[in-house]
Amino acid sequence: MASKKEEIIKQLKEEILCMELKPGTIISETTLSERFQISRTPIRDILKQLSAEGYIDIYPQKGSIVSYIDLESVEQIIYLRSTLEKEIIKELSLNIPLKGLHELKTILTKQEECIKNHDSFNDFMYLDDAFHKNLFTLAGRLFLWDIIQQFNAHYIRYRKLNMLKEEKLTEILEEHQLILKYIIDGKTDKIEQLVHHHIRADVNSFYFQENFDEYIKK
């Protein structure tokens, strides 16, 4: 049963993060029980875990809904990532293995192909995560990356919706290319400002609030 529950949790997380289940969507124990062919008791355990990680909100006597995007949580994750990645990239600019450089360059080449294809948004998102995860891994900070992922339910949806702007993907790729260039050239003096903009640029985005107000936690 444990593996079955883990599979269901993983699937529901994916549906929430990709916005198939939008903020405010009602989550019915009965519907989930019928859909996954298990009793309501393990379904309740699944919902409790999703609630603990910020994916849903449970209201006693009322039911559960997909959580609205909490901009305060988004800002906290952005602050944490910005602080950590500035230091990680500075460290890598002093010493990065050739294999690591090759992996990062390969990711950027694939991101370029995604932009050219115009229909590979989800692939671009995956590669965006892969680029930043590789930075943490190469610096020996994968543990910190994994911790951040546990509290990412609001940030990932926020970022995904912000990336729907046509010019945003090109901007992200160009900044990734600059990050890699600064690492190679050892330009630690320019890293802080670039990373600050790369991660924090959309933190007060009017685009998000104007276009996705119905998804924001009030």
Side-chain angles (χ1 to χ4, degrees):
M1 178 62 74
S3 60
K4 175 73 171 175
K5 284 168 66 175
E6 288 166 8
E7 287 174 12
I8 294 170
I9 288 170
K10 182 180 178 182
Q11 184 166 344
L12 290 173
K13 282 183 178 180
E14 288 175 356
E15 291 175 5
I16 290 169
L17 293 180
C18 76
M19 300 295 288
E20 184 177 332
L21 292 174
K22 292 179 171 55
T25 300
I26 295 171
I27 304 293
S28 162
E29 288 183 11
T30 303
T31 302
L32 291 179
S33 179
E34 292 172 354
R35 174 184 172 186
F36 294 111
Q37 295 297 295
I38 60 173
S39 69
R40 292 178 65 173
T41 300
I43 289 294
R44 289 191 191 103
D45 292 337
I46 287 168
L47 295 180
K48 285 178 184 176
Q49 182 167 337
L50 291 174
S51 175
E53 295 183 33
Y55 288 85
I56 68 168
D57 291 321
I58 299 174
Y59 297 96
Q61 313 304 321
K62 292 183 179 179
S64 306
I65 64 167
V66 175
S67 62
Y68 287 94
I69 297 173
D70 184 345
L71 294 184
E72 183 176 346
S73 173
V74 170
E75 201 282 332
Q76 295 285 347
I77 291 292
I78 287 174
Y79 177 84
L80 179 59
R81 281 194 54 176
S82 176
T83 303
L84 288 173
E85 291 195 35
K86 286 173 189 175
E87 296 307 312
I88 283 171
I89 293 169
K90 285 179 185 177
E91 287 177 21
L92 291 176
S93 70
L94 300 175
N95 181 31
I96 185 170
L98 287 175
K99 183 181 177 184
L101 281 176
H102 176 72
E103 289 169 352
L104 292 171
K105 286 179 180 178
T106 299
I107 290 169
L108 297 189
T109 298
K110 290 179 179 177
Q111 281 194 308
E112 246 180 314
E113 292 169 359
C114 287
I115 292 175
K116 289 175 184 175
N117 292 338
H118 297 293
D119 60 351
S120 302
F121 177 78
N122 288 330
D123 290 340
F124 187 95
M125 286 279 295
Y126 172 80
L127 291 165
D128 184 67
D129 271 343
F131 181 82
H132 289 276
K133 182 179 180 180
N134 266 34
L135 295 175
F136 277 77
T137 303
L138 291 167
R141 305 294 181 187
L142 183 59
F143 176 74
L144 295 177
W145 174 265
D146 289 339
I147 288 176
I148 291 170
Q149 302 317 299
Q150 295 175 31
F151 304 97
N152 243 356
H154 299 284
Y155 173 69
I156 289 177
R157 291 179 292 168
Y158 172 87
R159 187 185 60 153
K160 183 181 181 72
L161 292 170
N162 261 317
M163 283 187 179
L164 293 176
K165 290 186 289 185
E166 187 174 343
E167 70 278 9
K168 189 63 183 175
L169 301 190
T170 301
E171 179 186 327
I172 288 170
L173 174 60
E174 289 173 352
E175 290 184 347
H176 280 175
Q177 291 168 334
L178 264 181
I179 287 171
L180 187 56
K181 184 178 188 303
Y182 289 168
I183 289 174
I184 293 169
D185 295 345
K187 293 186 176 178
T188 56
D189 57 317
K190 294 189 175 182
I191 287 170
E192 190 155 333
Q193 185 177 353
L194 174 59
V195 174
H196 182 85
H197 181 270
H198 182 65
I199 296 176
R200 298 186 64 89
D202 296 318
V203 70
N204 295 311
S205 170
F206 287 115
Y207 168 83
F208 183 84
Q209 296 185 39
E210 288 172 358
N211 290 276
F212 306 110
D213 182 67
E214 71 270 27
Y215 297 150
I216 298 174
K217 181 180 179 180
K218 306 302 188 221

